[in-house]
Amino acid sequence: MGIIQVNNIKLYAYHGCLDEEAKIGSEYKIDVEIKANLKKSSKTDELADTVDYVHLNHIVKEEMAIRSKLLEEVANRILDRILNELSMVKKAKVSVAKINPPIGGNVKEVVVILTKKR
């Protein structure tokens, strides 16, 4: 078993429960970690034998573009797509962080982390 990480994907999106969040938006940072059997790709050096991290990034960008009230829902959608579209993935973890959330304090970020496996 091996691990592929795509870290610090930075996007601007419009998630949140407040009406202002839907209009103004916010910066987000997303990390994805997948576990898969990477033995074959480590020998063949062929993209077809591994999990394409370009595909992982594409899933994150598409799902982040769909507005949600809760980061939990966004993270769950990302995980579902990873497991549905990438059959090699045995386990996936996603971290969605809202940078400078509007929660009435000096808070750098709030983070939701979800994990799913087959």
Side-chain angles (χ1 to χ4, degrees):
M1 206 51 68
I3 295 173
I4 293 175
Q5 295 178 326
V6 182
N7 292 327
N8 207 22
I9 301 167
K10 293 182 180 178
L11 297 169
Y12 202 86
Y14 299 87
H15 307 299
C17 294
L18 303 175
D19 290 338
E20 296 83 37
E21 292 175 295
K23 296 173 187 167
I24 298 169
S26 188
E27 290 182 48
Y28 292 84
K29 178 180 71 96
I30 303 92
D31 297 327
V32 176
E33 177 178 295
I34 64 93
K35 291 187 178 181
N37 185 341
L38 304 178
K39 191 174 185 178
K40 184 175 181 183
S41 62
S42 68
K43 293 180 181 178
T44 66
D45 197 28
E46 294 295 333
L47 183 59
D49 296 331
T50 192
V51 176
D52 186 353
Y53 43 83
V54 172
H55 193 159
L56 292 170
N57 187 54
H58 177 75
I59 289 170
V60 169
K61 286 175 23 179
E62 283 191 351
E63 293 304 321
M64 287 296 292
I66 301 168
R67 178 167 158 60
S68 294
K69 290 185 224 167
L70 300 178
L71 299 181
E72 292 89 327
E73 205 263 341
V74 179
N76 189 58
R77 283 198 327 261
I78 292 168
L79 287 172
D80 284 346
R81 280 205 46 203
I82 289 170
L83 292 175
N84 287 335
E85 295 179 21
L86 300 165
S87 61
M88 284 186 64
V89 174
K90 302 301 179 206
K91 184 177 181 181
K93 177 170 88 170
V94 66
S95 165
V96 180
K98 180 183 279 193
I99 310 302
N100 298 318
I103 60 174
N106 186 10
V107 178
K108 180 180 177 181
E109 64 185 15
V110 293
V111 184
V112 170
I113 301 169
L114 295 179
T115 303
K116 281 191 178 183
K117 61 182 177 180
R118 290 192 192 280

